[in-house]
Amino acid sequence: MTVSVDALPAPINIDWSRTALLIIDMQRDFLEPGGFGETLGNNVSLLAAAVGPCRAVLDAARAKGILVVHTREGHKTDLSDAPPAKLDRGDPALRIGAPGPMGRILVRGEPGHDIIPALAPLPLEPVIDKPGKGAFFATDLDHVLRNRGIEFLLVCGVTTEVCVHTTVREANDRGYRCIVVGDACASYFPEFHAVGLRMIAAQGGIFGWVSDSAKVTAAMA
Ligand code: C5J
């Protein structure tokens, strides 16, 4: 059975049994002071706005039995999965792998790599560790979704124009119907967030649909 969800560029009929909630990179490294986001010169407090809406969609998805998949951007401890082009940027003391207040920056297993406590995964929820911006690059996300018969992706997380956008573009090319939950995403650059959402829904939904947490949770109720 499908339900209509109010969205741009037009409402979309969603089958919840073929839907996954994909929460992108809601990690301490991006949202808390002292992590990767701050080392790049960003005001990390700008991402806090997405936490409440993300939590609302997460609670509704769990209550409805919808598959929840979390992603984390980060690298192996030996950094062998990090291309030099990604490592060689910025002040060497603040680069990926350097020690910081939440452990080595953007390295798996360090406190900064963890998902923030408010959105912590439950034991059976898949967590996809990804070395890149897109969640399909060098991961088994496509297998995880296809094995569950997933066709629709509700997408939340950070940052809108970087890892959310890259993942939505990858998913769109693989045939998934992406509904980006706009207020459950955030950016260090509010103007990029706004334009990033517009880009998804423009041209008849060139990359997917854009809705918000109130509309999505109402449709799930
Ligand atoms: C960034 C991300 N912004 N998760 N990563 O470097 O968007």
Side-chain angles (χ1 to χ4, degrees):
M1 198 187 92
T2 61
V3 168
S4 176
V5 176
D6 195 11
L8 291 172
I12 173 171
N13 289 326
I14 297 187
D15 177 351
W16 297 123
S17 70
R18 295 173 64 77
T19 300
L21 170 61
L22 188 57
I23 305 183
I24 306 287
D25 301 358
M26 291 297 281
Q27 295 163 253
R28 299 183 65 198
D29 252 325
F30 293 105
L31 284 112
E32 293 185 13
F36 183 56
E38 195 174 72
T39 67
L40 298 177
N42 297 305
N43 173 4
V44 294
S45 70
L46 288 165
L47 303 193
V51 175
C54 234
R55 180 63 201 245
V57 178
L58 177 61
D59 287 345
R62 284 173 173 163
K64 206 159 179 66
I66 289 172
L67 174 67
V68 178
V69 180
H70 307 258
T71 74
R72 298 184 295 203
E73 181 181 347
H75 295 282
K76 296 179 180 175
T77 49
D78 62 4
L79 304 184
S80 58
D81 59 351
K86 186 174 181 183
L87 293 175
D88 296 345
R89 295 185 207 179
D91 178 348
L94 297 174
R95 284 180 185 168
I96 294 167
M102 292 191 288
R104 293 179 68 205
I105 294 166
L106 215 63
V107 170
R108 294 179 190 167
E110 302 288 343
H113 186 254
D114 283 346
I115 291 170
I116 58 168
L119 301 171
L122 294 178
L124 291 180
E125 291 173 351
V127 178
I128 303 290
D129 281 324
K130 62 187 184 67
K133 305 304 182 197
F136 290 84
F137 170 69
T139 73
D140 61 0
L141 176 59
D142 197 41
H143 290 295
V144 170
L145 299 175
R146 293 200 193 279
N147 287 341
R148 308 279 191 112
I150 298 300
E151 180 183 348
F152 302 90
L153 294 177
L154 295 173
V155 187
C156 302
V158 295
T159 61
T160 313
E161 78 282 9
V162 183
C163 290
V164 171
H165 234 272
T166 307
T167 299
V168 167
R169 290 169 183 232
E170 290 179 323
N172 180 59
D173 280 346
R174 286 166 174 76
Y176 296 98
R177 299 175 202 271
C178 296
I179 302 94
V180 177
V181 187
D183 60 331
C185 299
S187 169
Y188 304 119
F189 302 88
E191 68 274 30
F192 293 172
H193 170 77
V195 172
L197 295 180
R198 281 179 56 203
M199 287 170 67
I200 287 163
Q203 304 179 75
I206 194 95
F207 297 124
W209 289 257
V210 176
S211 188
D212 63 41
S213 59
K215 289 172 179 158
V216 167
T217 55
M220 276 188 212

